[in-house]
């Protein structure tokens, strides 16, 4: 593949067809990874699409690939960079990489990146429940349509249960459709299999008065318990923060005043019902006490999540259960008070402080809860959006001021939160946020990294030449001894990555200035590949050798999956590093055995893979959005998305790219076979 790091557009003496093919294969695997994203449970807030049949199995497949793919890519990039430098020198290398890497990056940032943003915006706004009429595995919700009432006039009255989306009718507060559903024999106690909530649970939780009244009048069961052990009426007490958080996750546009009015009306309906039947009120009180006891006996509370939602009652319950008020989130090193301070959740913070939360606890960045009170609004809002938390700047400011006042009252130490606004530090922090946190490059980050790696390579060889040092490939790099150096070397930066729950392999940075650990990690693979280039004739790996490496890599992967990522942090990092190197050299050996000679179809795929990878993301997201609610096995949808994307982009490559200026920009000028042979001679 003549992609951003290919040695030359001409076919040269020692062209490595196997590495060309392997690099193209690594590119195409990137499409496979992104096609699998929508099938990961809980990915919706980040990705914008979550399939109704999301499964942890896809996460395992992604770990298998992600654990070595980009490492291998940068290794080969370094190899070809050294090859081109030896053949053409520093000036030619700089010009070549500028044309093949930097220019495509700039062009893609103004074309493909906006297309991706539009596709993601469409997916998030098009969050409709597209079912065939049967109950899906997981409910998918849509935002309110302000013209819904007018539109109903144009819609015929359903004559069959299959025509009615009863959950959507509840969310829309559509009493007429719910009434029709019940008349047609629909189940008034239908339960969502994911949450265990009934239709009445949903109506009460979201304050849908008409829906709740219709279901109550139809004598929907008010004693049903959802997965949290709560009856429908007990959802009236859920705080706004929690409700808003859940509504955001499910795509429901909810206003606090509307929710409050709705719940007050539903409360009145239930009270009127209780007045008609005195036993109902007594039964509800008794049930509420029983449920509270059950919660105290064993409800598992995610303290960081309930603090972020400002759910005071559950924070108190967590502490009453004997929960650790200073429980550390392993991915960030934050305590619950860190979370409360960062998001300005004053009510939760007061409970935590009264419960003995440490005010001087430090997270992984060395920050205390007080330090996080000064966090920049842009950074806070960005992280909140990643967690699907909707926060208001004024509410955040007020909450943090209340927390500061509480800490001051407890310690006597004054905390002035106005100084950043008065000194202009907010502007500096905004710049820092943009440079270090803003997702500037998305999937094009690898091109940005390669630009820097090539510059560092040129700096290195220039210094070595100036000092009269030889630039060659040490003999030990071509022996098993290399593993004794490479694996520990990569373990060091790996130790500081994969800290999020269920994470595996290296992290990815899409910001302008990447974290040091991520940058150094990939840079080491790049320079290792450059060091491996040798003028000596290439020796293919034996079948036994690369098979053993791949099998050992698989065993290492299984061992890593069975290792506690936090309790055995060093071992976990070591196993991840070993897996990356074993798979890198195992795949190189496999492809050297299969593709040492040029094959037209392999070369074609390799050449096209650069374009396919650059352009695939918007198309993948659109296909995922189209299929997310199809009641078709996930594996079939995943395969259909992958194949459709690759075939469509291959057609576009042949018609719009291969023989155009775009193809020249990406792959250089192509030569017919006869001229290739003459060039080689």
């Amino acid at each position: 593949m003549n992609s951003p790091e290919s040695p030359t557009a001409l076919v040269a003496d020692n062209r490595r067809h196997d590495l060309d093919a392997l690099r193209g294969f690594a590119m195409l695997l990137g499409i496979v990874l992104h096609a699998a994203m929508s099938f990961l449970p809980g990915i919706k807030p980040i990705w914008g699409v979550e399939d109704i049949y999301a499964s942890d199995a896809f996460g395992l497949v992604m770990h298998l690939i992600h654990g070595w793919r980009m490492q291998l890519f940068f290794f080969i990039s370094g190899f070809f960079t050294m090859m081109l430098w030896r053949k053409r020198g520093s000036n030619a290398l700089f010009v070549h990489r500028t044309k093949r890497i930097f220019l495509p990056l700039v062009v893609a940032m103004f074309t493909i990146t906006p297309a991706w943003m539009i596709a993601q915006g469409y997916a998030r706004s098009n969050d409709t429940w597209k079912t065939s009429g049967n109950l899906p595995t997981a409910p998918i919700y849509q935002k309110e349509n302000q013209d819904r009432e007018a539109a109903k006039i144009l819609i015929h009255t359903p004559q069959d249960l299959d025509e009615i989306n009863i959950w959507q009718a509840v969310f829309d507060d559509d009493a007429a459709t719910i009434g029709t559903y019940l008349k047609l024999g629909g189940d008034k106690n239908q339960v969502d299999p994911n949450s265990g909530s009934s239709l009445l649970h949903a109506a009460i939780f979201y304050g849908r008065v008409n829906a709740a009244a219709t279901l109550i009048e139809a004598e929907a069961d008010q004693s049903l318990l959802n997965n949290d052990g709560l009856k429908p009426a007990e959802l009236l007490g859920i705080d706004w923060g929690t409700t808003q958080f859940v509504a955001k996750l499910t795509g429901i546009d909810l206003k606090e005043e509307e929710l409050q009015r709705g719940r007050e009306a539903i409360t009145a309906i239930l009270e009127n019902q209780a007045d008609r039947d005195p036993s109902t009120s007594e039964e509800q009180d008794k049930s509420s006490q029983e449920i509270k006891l059950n919660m105290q006996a064993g409800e598992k509370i995610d303290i960081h999540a309930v603090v972020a939602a400002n759910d005071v009652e559950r924070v108190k319950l967590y502490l009453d259960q004997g929960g650790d008020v200073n429980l550390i989130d392993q991915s960030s090193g934050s305590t619950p008070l860190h979370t409360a301070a960062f998001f300005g959740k004053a009510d939760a913070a007061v409970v935590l402080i009264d419960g003995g939360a440490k005010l001087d606890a430090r997270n992984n960045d060395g920050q205390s809860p007080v330090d996080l009170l000064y966090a920049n609004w842009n950074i806070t809002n960005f992280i909140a959006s990643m967690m699907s938390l909707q926060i208001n700047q004024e509410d955040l400011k007020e909450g943090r001021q209340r927390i500061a006042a509480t800490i001051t009252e407890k310690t006597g130490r004054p905390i002035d939160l106005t100084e950043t606004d008065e000194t202009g530090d907010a502007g500096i922090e905004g710049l820092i946020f943009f440079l270090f946190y803003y997702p500037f490059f998305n999937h094009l980050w690898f091109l940005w990294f390669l630009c820097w790696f090539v510059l560092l390579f040129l700096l290195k060889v220039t210094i070595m030449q100036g000092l009269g040092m030889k630039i060659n490939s040490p003999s030990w790099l071509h022996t098993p001894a290399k593993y004794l150096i490479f694996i520990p070397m990569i373990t060091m930066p790996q130790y500081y990555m994969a800290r999020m729950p269920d994470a595996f392999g290296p992290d990815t940075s899409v910001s302008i200035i990447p974290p040091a650990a991520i940058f150094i990690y990939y840079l080491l693979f790049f320079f290792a590949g450059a060091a491996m280039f040798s003028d000596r004739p290439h020796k293919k790996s034996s079948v036994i050798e690369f098979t053993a490496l791949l099998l050992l890599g698989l065993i290492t992967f299984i061992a890593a999956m069975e290792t506690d990522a936090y309790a055995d942090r060093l071992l976990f990092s070591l196993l991840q590093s070993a897996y990356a190197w074993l798979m890198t050299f195992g795949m190189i050996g496999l492809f050297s055995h299969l593709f040492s000679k040029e094959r037209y179809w392999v070369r074609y795929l390799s050449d096209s893979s650069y374009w396919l990878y650059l352009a695939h993301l918007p198309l993948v997201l659109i296909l995922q959005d189209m299929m997310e609610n199809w009641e078709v096995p996930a594996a079939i949808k995943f395969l259909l998305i992958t194949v459709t994307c690759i075939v469509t982009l291959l057609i576009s490559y042949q018609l719009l790219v291969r023989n155009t200026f775009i193809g020249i920009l990406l792959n250089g000028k192509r030569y017919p076979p006869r001229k290739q042979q003459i060039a080689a001679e």
Side-chain angles (χ1 to χ4, degrees), residues 412-486:
R413 182 182 61 177
I415 300 174
D416 185 6
L417 297 183
T418 63
E419 58 184 35
T420 53
D421 296 330
E422 295 173 355
T423 60
D425 287 346
I428 297 176
E429 290 184 350
L431 177 61
I432 292 174
F433 161 77
F434 178 75
L435 294 175
F436 288 88
Y437 296 97
Y438 186 78
F440 195 77
F441 293 108
N442 289 316
H443 73 302
L444 305 175
W445 66 272
F446 75 103
L447 294 176
W448 181 239
F449 274 47
L450 282 175
C451 289
W452 285 104
F453 292 174
V454 171
L455 291 177
L456 291 174
F457 173 85
L458 289 172
L459 177 63
K460 173 190 172 183
V461 295
T462 300
I463 292 175
M464 293 182 69
Q465 286 180 319
L467 297 176
M469 300 173 63
K470 291 185 178 180
I471 304 174
N472 53 24
S473 179
S475 58
W476 62 267
L477 285 176
H478 305 277
T479 70
K482 61 180 175 287
Y483 296 105
L484 299 178
I485 303 297
F486 285 167

Side-chain angles (χ1 to χ4, degrees), residues 40-71:
L40 297 178
I43 196 64
K44 189 177 188 66
I46 299 174
W47 191 248
V49 179
E50 181 177 340
D51 197 87
I52 60 172
Y53 295 128
S55 168
D56 289 331
F58 284 91
L60 185 64
V61 172
M62 292 184 68
H63 289 337
L64 271 167
I65 300 173
H66 175 69
W68 58 269
R69 184 184 74 91
M70 287 308 297
Q71 299 89 314

Side-chain angles (χ1 to χ4, degrees), residues 342-407:
F342 186 73
F343 293 116
K345 305 301 182 181
D347 295 332
V350 170
V351 175
L352 292 169
I353 293 171
D354 290 342
K358 293 181 179 179
L359 302 178
D360 58 351
R362 301 284 173 175
N363 62 16
N364 290 344
D365 295 323
Q367 297 169 311
S368 69
V370 173
D371 294 330
L372 294 183
L373 293 173
Y374 295 90
N376 174 261
W377 158 249
N378 291 323
I379 297 175
T380 306
N381 189 43
F382 173 70
I383 294 177
S385 66
M386 294 293 289
M387 299 175 60
S388 293
L389 279 175
Q390 188 173 356
I391 58 176
N392 177 277
Q393 189 169 8
E394 289 302 318
D395 292 341
L396 175 72
K397 184 177 180 180
E398 180 183 348
R400 286 180 173 174
Q401 287 174 342
R402 285 180 55 198
I403 296 172
T406 302
I407 294 176

Side-chain angles (χ1 to χ4, degrees), residues 244-263:
Q244 183 190 37
F245 179 70
V246 175
K248 182 73 174 178
L249 284 176
T250 52
I252 293 179
D253 187 11
L254 199 62
K255 296 179 177 61
E256 186 172 6
E257 298 79 8
E258 174 189 337
L259 175 73
Q260 184 176 352
R261 288 196 304 267
R263 287 186 176 174

Side-chain angles (χ1 to χ4, degrees), residues 167-186:
W167 289 96
Q168 191 62 58
V170 170
F171 301 138
D172 290 346
D173 205 17
D174 186 352
T177 299
I178 297 173
T180 302
Y181 169 83
L182 296 174
K183 288 178 181 178
L184 292 173

Side-chain angles (χ1 to χ4, degrees), residues 4-6 81 84 93-102:
E5 53 294 318
S6 55
T81 296
L84 180 55
L93 173 63
F94 178 80
V95 172
H96 185 276
R97 290 305 194 253
T98 299
K99 292 190 295 184
R100 299 291 182 270
I101 300 175
F102 183 71

